[in-house]
Amino acid sequence: MGLNASFSLLSLTLLLVFSPIVTADNITHAFEKYSNFSTMSDLFTKTKLTLLISKYQTITLLAVSNKAISSITNKSAIELKNILMTHVILDYYDELKLKGMKEKSIMLTTLYQTTGLGEEMNGFLNCTKSKGRVYFGSGVKDSPLNAEYVTTLYHNPFNLSIIHISKPIVAPGLSLAVLPPPPPPVPLAPAPAPAPMEAAMAPGPSPMNVATAPAPGPGDEDNPSDAAVPKLTPETESPEVDSPAPTPSADNEKIEAADKAGKTSSSCKARFSFEVVLLIVFFVSFAGF
């Protein structure tokens, strides 16, 4: 039993290693046998999707007949290409694998998801098996599952499979153009770093120098930038001037004049009294003789 399992695993590994990769030629050749699918084959060639598909080793194409695909041929070239990309599953499915699938739903990754434009699961397909039948639809929530599996047109195990579905699958939001990614930005050359000794010896800015401006020099008067800044001059103390002596008022002059007059009259009275006394003494002395 163990030998049989090992042999089966080895056979599968050799089959995967030596199986031919998908090419544009074998896709076109596979469609040539079915003229009823010529429109879809031509659309894959015109949109150059066959070249893009050839980069993958395992592919499943969901093919739609000429009559059924006419419902999307009036779409814009961009939207039509995106719709076709959602019909390319990046895995291998054929009739045997689909019939062996349990009654459940699975999400399948499509070629459109690799563009980076997928949103709200529109780059995935919902594959659901119900009552023995297999249905496909968009992975977007609440999308209808109305594309039913019909038959397998071509299969090269684990390499390429083309299966027939009843109608095309149109997911919302497929009108965006698939553009190549922008080139990476060119990095800017960094500025040369100062030498370690120079960086260590470079003086840093002093907070005092930032906060206070230097005093103006002798030549700053001619600088127009200094003239615009008002300069504050310190207040100077004016020298004290001796106030003149107060001049005598008129009342003081009258008082001084009265004092002088009083003194003069007193001296006059004293002199008159002295003269009277002398005169009396003279008369008394003369009378004695």
Side-chain angles (χ1 to χ4, degrees), residues 212-233:
T212 59
D220 291 342
E221 295 180 357
D222 298 335
N223 192 346
S225 61
D226 295 340
V229 181
K231 298 180 180 180
L232 301 178
T233 56

Side-chain angles (χ1 to χ4, degrees), residues 179-198:
L179 301 176
V186 179
L188 300 177
M197 293 299 296
E198 295 178 359

Side-chain angles (χ1 to χ4, degrees), residues 96-131:
L96 182 62
K97 189 172 181 179
L98 292 175
K99 285 186 176 181
M101 193 174 101
K102 296 181 179 180
E103 300 273 333
K104 62 178 181 179
S105 297
I106 57 175
M107 287 293 174
L108 308 177
T109 305
T110 69
L111 186 61
Y112 181 74
Q113 182 65 22
T114 64
T115 63
L117 298 176
E119 55 183 10
E120 298 183 359
M121 299 292 290
N122 64 355
F124 295 87
L125 290 182
N126 183 351
C127 179
T128 299
K129 188 174 183 180
S130 176
K131 298 180 180 180

Side-chain angles (χ1 to χ4, degrees), residues 6-177:
S6 301
F7 180 76
S8 299
L9 182 60
L10 179 61
S11 300
L12 179 60
T13 304
L14 293 175
L15 181 63
L16 291 174
V17 171
F18 295 102
S19 61
I21 62 173
V22 180
T23 64
D25 292 334
N26 58 26
I27 293 175
T28 305
H29 179 70
F31 273 114
E32 284 179 353
K33 298 180 181 180
Y34 305 95
S35 59
N36 195 29
F37 297 88
S38 59
T39 302
M40 192 167 195
S41 178
D42 293 340
L43 291 176
F44 270 107
T45 304
K46 289 179 181 179
T47 55
K48 299 181 180 180
L49 286 178
T50 51
L51 298 176
L52 183 60
I53 293 172
S54 63
K55 297 180 180 179
Y56 296 87
Q57 188 171 357
T58 303
I59 288 294
T60 298
L61 297 182
L62 302 182
V64 183
S65 65
N66 295 342
K67 183 179 179 179
I69 204 173
S70 61
S71 61
I72 64 171
T73 52
N74 59 346
K75 302 285 186 181
S76 65
I78 293 174
E79 188 171 3
L80 182 59
K81 181 177 181 179
N82 293 341
I83 291 174
L84 292 176
M85 293 176 75
T86 60
H87 287 67
V88 181
I89 301 173
L90 303 182
D91 201 350
Y92 181 83
Y93 286 90
D94 57 9
E95 184 174 4
L96 182 62
K97 189 172 181 179
L98 292 175
K99 285 186 176 181
M101 193 174 101
K102 296 181 179 180
E103 300 273 333
K104 62 178 181 179
S105 297
I106 57 175
M107 287 293 174
L108 308 177
T109 305
T110 69
L111 186 61
Y112 181 74
Q113 182 65 22
T114 64
T115 63
L117 298 176
E119 55 183 10
E120 298 183 359
M121 299 292 290
N122 64 355
F124 295 87
L125 290 182
N126 183 351
C127 179
T128 299
K129 188 174 183 180
S130 176
K131 298 180 180 180
R133 295 185 176 183
V134 179
Y135 299 91
F136 293 90
S138 172
V140 179
K141 186 178 180 181
D142 298 329
S143 295
L145 297 172
N146 52 6
E148 185 179 358
Y149 167 78
V150 179
T151 186
T152 299
L153 301 178
Y154 175 87
H155 66 97
N156 182 10
F158 309 106
N159 177 231
L160 173 63
S161 175
I162 302 177
I163 61 179
H164 177 202
I165 59 176
S166 60
K167 60 175 58 179
I169 302 169
V170 181
L174 296 180
S175 59
L176 300 176

